[in-house]
Amino acid sequence: MLTERREAILKLLIQEYIATASPVGSGKLARGSGMRVSAATVRNEMADLETDGYITRPHTSAGGIPADKGYRHYVETLEGLAEPSAQVREAVRQKMTEAKDVELWAKLAATVLSQLVRNMAVVTYPRAGEVRVRNIQLVSVHDDLALVVLVLQETQVHQQMLSLTDPATADDLVEVGNRLNAHLGGKDRLEIAAMQAELSPLEGKVAEVVIGVLEAEEQERMGEQFVDGLSHILSKPELAEGERAVGLVEALEGRRLLKSLIASLTDGPVTVVIGGENEDEALRPFSVVISPYGVPGEFRGAVAAIGPTRMEYAGTMGTAQYMSSLLTDLFAEVFRR
């Protein structure tokens, strides 16, 4: 738990670093904190923040740079999100509704979002329906090996081998399958993930297989991705060397980025994945702000902004959430015709 003073110093350091991309010194923090503390006191607090993993410093006398843990704390303690102004929101809505071809909405949304947040934006075209489990069957192959047969509600069948930690008979597997069908039947990936803590170890292993299949199926159904604003990423001083940007482009071309976005989706209106929290190594120099759009059971898509961890989080989160809400409204009219 951070003290009130340490919290204020961390917040100011992050805000200053977001604005300047330069390490922040204790003198600047002392002058800007409004707490009437000396630079020496701030240095001591910074040393504790570094020890606790909230910031990093090249050496003791250097300025501080936020670490992923510091950014995470900053995001979790934001007092509110910053949506675009009413004037901007109205202009964006008018621009979207004036587009004659609904297939242009997702592409236009990516362009608008990237311009508003000055980072890269990715928007997926919506696809009808959600991927849900219809039936799970476990077939004994060997004492320590089972075949998971997963039937989706659209009658698609997926099969995958599962190594068992402990030997299980065919009757054991039938019993586990029956319990899983009772608990997981009719549920989607997020609902199943939320229930994992309630499952036995074997049920949990099967659930992991099911979640993986559902995630892959979602990726296939999510369809085309529209990307804009790569030039914003390339203009950031953190990417001057270019190697990080190359990794991001490769992730885009290989659709690994789309897979990472889908894996990051939650039930919440907006999710932030910071630096090392990203599963894909190419995304670890970046933060991803993602907001799902759609109507449960009818259609689903995603809006995402990607930029360096030195991102203006409140504004980016608020803008992504606004764009997802707008796309939900627009596409709902089309899907319900």
Side-chain angles (χ1 to χ4, degrees):
M1 180 70 70
L2 293 176
T3 64
E4 184 176 343
R5 182 164 67 187
R6 208 166 293 166
E7 177 117 24
I9 290 172
L10 176 63
K11 181 178 180 180
L12 183 60
L13 184 148
I14 290 175
Q15 290 173 339
E16 186 67 27
Y17 187 74
I18 287 173
T20 66
S22 298
V24 186
S26 57
K28 193 163 195 174
L29 292 172
R31 291 190 297 273
S33 66
M35 293 184 293
R36 297 182 180 179
V37 293
S38 67
T41 298
V42 172
R43 276 196 298 274
N44 290 335
E45 297 287 17
M46 290 175 68
D48 288 334
L49 286 170
E50 183 179 20
T51 299
D52 292 340
Y54 290 96
I55 68 172
T56 61
R57 292 189 293 176
H59 49 83
T60 306
S61 60
I65 297 173
D68 289 352
K69 183 178 179 180
Y71 282 123
R72 171 53 59 194
H73 181 82
Y74 178 75
V75 168
E76 296 295 335
T77 55
L78 283 173
E79 295 179 356
L81 306 185
E83 277 196 346
S85 67
Q87 184 178 2
V88 170
R89 293 199 304 271
E90 181 57 33
V92 170
R93 178 176 285 274
Q94 183 174 346
K95 187 173 184 178
M96 296 285 287
T97 53
E98 286 177 352
K100 296 181 180 179
D101 188 348
V102 297
E103 293 187 0
L104 293 177
W105 283 344
K107 183 177 181 179
L108 184 56
T111 299
V112 170
L113 179 59
S114 71
Q115 291 173 347
L116 290 176
V117 302
R118 311 304 294 174
N119 271 311
M120 193 174 79
V122 180
V123 178
T124 65
Y125 194 80
R127 285 294 179 264
E130 291 180 331
V131 188
R132 294 182 179 274
V133 171
R134 181 174 183 178
N135 182 265
I136 301 170
Q137 184 179 0
L138 301 179
V139 179
S140 178
V141 177
H142 194 269
D143 286 348
D144 58 356
L145 190 65
L147 175 67
V148 179
V149 181
L150 173 63
V151 182
L152 304 182
Q153 285 194 336
E154 298 80 3
T155 70
Q156 291 172 292
V157 179
H158 296 264
Q159 299 182 2
Q160 186 168 323
M161 302 301 293
L162 175 66
S163 297
L164 305 177
T165 305
D166 299 311
T169 66
D171 289 341
D172 292 334
L173 295 179
V174 169
E175 185 177 342
V176 170
N178 290 337
R179 287 200 302 269
L180 287 173
N181 283 315
H183 289 300
L184 308 186
K187 291 185 168 54
D188 63 20
R189 175 177 63 87
L190 295 178
E191 291 170 330
I192 294 172
M195 297 178 61
Q196 280 187 287
E198 306 170 13
L199 304 177
S200 70
L202 177 53
E203 292 169 350
K205 290 192 69 173
V206 177
E208 288 177 4
V209 171
V210 172
I211 289 171
V213 171
L214 295 180
E215 187 176 301
E217 189 67 25
E218 285 179 15
Q219 182 181 353
E220 288 297 319
R221 295 189 186 189
M222 196 65 85
E224 192 171 2
Q225 61 180 10
F226 298 94
V227 181
D228 207 325
L230 184 59
S231 60
H232 294 310
I233 291 279
L234 297 176
S235 69
K236 307 295 182 183
E238 300 94 322
L239 301 175
E241 298 177 1
E243 186 176 328
R244 294 176 174 179
V246 170
L248 180 60
V249 171
E250 290 176 348
L252 277 170
E253 292 177 344
R255 291 178 68 85
R256 293 182 358 241
L257 177 58
L258 182 60
K259 180 179 179 180
S260 295
L261 295 182
I262 292 171
S264 301
L265 280 172
T266 68
D267 284 328
V270 62
T271 300
V272 181
V273 187
I274 299 170
E277 297 171 359
N278 284 292
E279 292 184 5
D280 194 317
E281 187 174 351
L283 291 178
R284 288 176 186 165
F286 305 94
S287 283
V288 179
V289 174
I290 182 168
S291 183
Y293 73 89
V295 177
E298 295 186 24
F299 67 95
R300 194 181 193 207
V303 170
I306 302 167
T309 52
R310 183 184 62 86
M311 175 188 287
E312 206 288 289
Y313 287 97
T316 303
M317 293 166 68
T319 304
Q321 191 170 322
Y322 167 70
M323 291 303 300
S324 68
S325 176
L326 176 57
L327 287 175
T328 295
D329 292 343
L330 292 173
F331 279 112
E333 296 180 10
V334 175
F335 276 81
R336 290 170 180 171
R337 286 175 185 170

